[in-house]
Amino acid sequence: MNTPKNTEQASKPAKKTRGRPLAFNQEQALKNALQVFWQHGYEGTSMAELVEALGINKPSIYATFGNKEALFGQALEKYVAGPAAFVGEAMKEPSAKQVAEKFLTGAVAFFTDQNHPPGCMIVQAALSCGQGSAQIQETLIEYRKRLEENFKLRFDLAKIHGDLPANTNSADLAKYLTTLHQGMSVQASSGASKESLLALVQIALKNWPSD
Amino acid sequence: MNTPKNTEQASKPAKKTRGRPLAFNQEQALKNALQVFWQHGYEGTSMAELVEALGINKPSIYATFGNKEALFGQALEKYVAGPAAFVGEAMKEPSAKQVAEKFLTGAVAFFTDQNHPPGCMIVQAALSCGQGSAQIQETLIEYRKRLEENFKLRFDLAKIHGDLPANTNSADLAKYLTTLHQGMSVQASSGASKESLLALVQIALKNWPSD
DNA sequence: TTATTTATTTACCGATTGGTATGAAATTAT
DNA sequence: ATAATTTCATACCAATCGGTAAATAAATAA
């Protein structure tokens, strides 16, 4: 008997199901998968590495999450809903400038947080890759474009509210923000310090549009 | 007899050497390798793909360029000296602001040039990867840091020349520029248009430091 | 012609890739 | 107990990975 005991890791009362119970925590396994994909990207992560990181063997991974691509997709959802949720929060700030400031400074804190890999998974995980990963690459591009579009809509709203000049080009401003964000992700993954990135943000925000 | 004739591709007079002559143009082969690495990154490019792209078979590649890593290194050198040479040119502009403007607008034109893959190879080719490519990743990080450092030195000079305020932080300004550059590379590889990127550059340069 | 040198071709190598078949182990329902 | 159900572990799969051995082809030197 080499299998670990079912030590009831889940917080839920473990609804009675038939058959052998799961020997691992799915949430924790997904969290571990996220860490690995975040650090080494989609192609750079092998199933062997995932087996080791999740602590469960291959057939269990496939039974629980599907194939490598499906696992990445679920890790990505977890990333957006969890670690990267600060982006949605920033969007709720009362003014456009505050949105931008919160977004960029939040990104700096996030990118340089020692508790997880540096940089943004959506930027890093499949920037360039072989043809076999083109679908993943496209998915990440869509995520980035959606964020930019959301900023554009937020800035359109700000123009109506009057906290952004009426002649401002919302789309250009949104691209300015997301480009800085993506660039900072590259910087952070290359070892840039929190301080240097914060200084950069100050420069970037100095010329915020105003009447 | 299936081998192609030696149709004297090189421009040079083909110095007489002993033994069977090369059946391909090394320069052209390296150019092709550069294209592939540029598009699919280091890990995303397989030897099989290189064989097809270079038009020569594997043993010839190994005999001429060494292994995959060595070939990438030579392609990278070609990239820096050739396509990416505009960066060095921008550095020679007479004032700091002109350096920045030339660099960013040049990058936009470069990143969206239809004659080669979008974005910057030094940013894209190994942003995240498996442990086996850590050396390549580190090399590219060094290239990026060197560029940033060069901007910093150029801005230090500008402060002495007086075309940049004396209280300007050269390092921060250099990071601002390279971060925009890296972000634009991500944008371009995701399909951003030349026009949208140029608009972004205008925003980015609006608050250039001045007395 | 013959020997020497270099390049190209074909075929192959062990290792690793993502992905599974299969049978044993662990649980609940009867 | 025993049957039914589900998960786990071992071992395996074909395909691809980067890289090479060995023989043949094409040139020059003698």
Side-chain angles (χ1 to χ4, degrees), chain B residues 46-48 50-52 55-66:
Chain B
S46 69
M47 287 305 303
L50 287 168
V51 166
E52 189 169 2
I56 60 185
N57 39 29
K58 234 189 294 186
S60 291
I61 296 179
Y62 277 83
T64 307
F65 303 104

Side-chain angles (χ1 to χ4, degrees), chain B residues 29-41:
Chain B
L30 194 53
K31 239 182 231 179
N32 294 345
L34 170 57
Q35 289 281 122
V36 180
F37 280 128
W38 194 346
Q39 183 145 47
H40 292 131

Side-chain angles (χ1 to χ4, degrees), chain A:
Chain A
M1 220 274 281
N2 201 11
T3 55
K5 294 284 182 195
N6 184 7
T7 39
E8 189 63 39
Q9 313 93 326
S11 50
K12 294 176 186 172
K15 60 176 176 185
K16 291 280 176 76
T17 59
R18 242 180 352 177
R20 181 172 177 171
L22 237 59
F24 62 94
N25 187 325
Q26 295 195 5
E27 283 293 305
Q28 185 58 50
L30 194 53
K31 238 182 234 178
N32 294 346
L34 170 56
Q35 289 282 121
V36 181
F37 279 129
W38 195 347
Q39 183 145 45
H40 292 130
Y42 178 68
E43 278 187 342
T45 300
S46 70
M47 287 307 302
E49 195 177 353
L50 287 168
V51 166
E52 189 170 1
L54 306 211
I56 61 186
N57 39 30
K58 233 190 290 186
S60 293
I61 296 180
Y62 277 84
T64 309
F65 303 105
N67 61 11
K68 187 187 176 185
E69 190 167 345
L71 175 56
F72 181 86
Q74 291 164 70
L76 184 58
E77 284 178 22
K78 197 165 193 63
Y79 174 78
V80 173
F86 79 93
V87 175
E89 293 303 313
M91 208 74 79
K92 296 176 189 160
E93 289 290 311
S95 76
K97 176 154 192 180
Q98 282 170 295
V99 167
E101 192 162 358
K102 189 97 173 186
F103 172 58
L104 291 180
T105 58
V108 170
F110 179 57
F111 289 166
T112 60
D113 185 341
Q114 305 277 11
N115 295 112
H116 53 70
C120 173
M121 181 183 181
I122 295 175
V123 173
Q124 316 267 353
L127 194 50
S128 63
C129 56
Q131 299 96 317
S133 311
Q135 182 59 61
I136 296 285
Q137 186 181 35
E138 197 56 41
T139 299
L140 296 183
I141 290 176
E142 284 308 312
Y143 266 89
R144 278 179 243 140
K145 287 195 174 164
R146 198 178 314 158
L147 175 63
E148 188 174 319
E149 175 67 13
N150 283 340
F151 276 121
K152 191 250 179 196
L153 294 173
R154 179 66 186 81
F155 294 153
D156 281 336
L157 199 68
K159 283 161 69 176
I160 295 175
H161 286 174
D163 64 277
L164 211 52
N167 65 342
T168 304
N169 187 319
S170 301
D172 292 346
L173 200 55
K175 191 172 284 290
Y176 177 60
L177 265 197
T178 55
T179 300
L180 282 165
H181 175 257
Q182 290 159 14
M184 287 195 303
S185 177
V186 177
Q187 289 278 11
S189 77
S190 307
S193 72
K194 176 185 283 190
E195 293 70 30
S196 66
L197 291 176
L198 281 177
L200 183 172
V201 168
Q202 290 315 308
I203 294 177
L205 289 176
K206 212 185 295 178
N207 64 338
W208 194 257
S210 63
D211 299 290

Side-chain angles (χ1 to χ4, degrees), chain B:
Chain B
M1 219 279 281
N2 201 12
T3 55
K5 294 285 180 193
N6 184 8
T7 40
E8 190 63 37
Q9 311 95 326
S11 49
K12 294 177 187 172
K15 59 176 177 185
K16 290 276 176 79
T17 59
R18 255 202 316 200
R20 182 172 175 172
L22 237 57
F24 63 94
N25 187 326
Q26 296 195 4
E27 281 294 306
Q28 186 58 49
L30 194 53
K31 239 182 231 179
N32 294 345
L34 170 57
Q35 289 281 122
V36 180
F37 280 128
W38 194 346
Q39 183 145 47
H40 292 131
Y42 179 68
E43 279 187 342
T45 299
S46 69
M47 287 305 303
E49 195 177 353
L50 287 168
V51 166
E52 189 169 2
L54 304 214
I56 60 185
N57 39 29
K58 234 189 294 186
S60 291
I61 296 179
Y62 277 83
T64 307
F65 303 104
N67 61 11
K68 187 186 175 185
E69 191 167 344
L71 175 56
F72 180 86
Q74 290 164 70
L76 183 57
E77 284 177 24
K78 197 166 192 62
Y79 174 77
V80 173
F86 78 93
V87 174
E89 293 304 312
M91 208 74 79
K92 297 176 191 161
E93 289 290 311
S95 76
K97 176 156 192 177
Q98 280 168 295
V99 167
E101 192 162 359
K102 189 96 174 186
F103 172 57
L104 292 180
T105 57
V108 169
F110 179 58
F111 289 166
T112 60
D113 185 340
Q114 306 277 13
N115 293 113
H116 52 70
C120 171
M121 181 183 181
I122 295 175
V123 173
Q124 317 267 351
L127 195 50
S128 62
C129 57
Q131 298 95 317
S133 311
Q135 183 59 60
I136 296 286
Q137 186 180 35
E138 197 57 39
T139 299
L140 296 183
I141 290 177
E142 284 308 312
Y143 267 89
R144 279 179 242 138
K145 288 194 174 164
R146 198 178 315 160
L147 176 62
E148 189 174 317
E149 175 67 12
N150 283 341
F151 276 121
K152 191 248 178 195
L153 295 174
R154 179 65 186 81
F155 294 153
D156 280 336
L157 199 68
K159 283 162 71 176
I160 294 173
H161 287 175
D163 64 277
L164 211 50
N167 65 344
T168 304
N169 187 319
S170 301
D172 292 345
L173 200 55
K175 191 173 284 291
Y176 177 61
L177 265 197
T178 55
T179 300
L180 282 164
H181 175 258
Q182 289 159 14
M184 288 196 301
S185 177
V186 177
Q187 289 278 10
S189 77
S190 308
S193 72
K194 176 185 283 190
E195 293 71 28
S196 66
L197 291 177
L198 281 177
L200 184 172
V201 168
Q202 290 315 308
I203 295 179
L205 290 177
K206 211 186 296 177
N207 65 336
W208 193 257
S210 64
D211 298 293

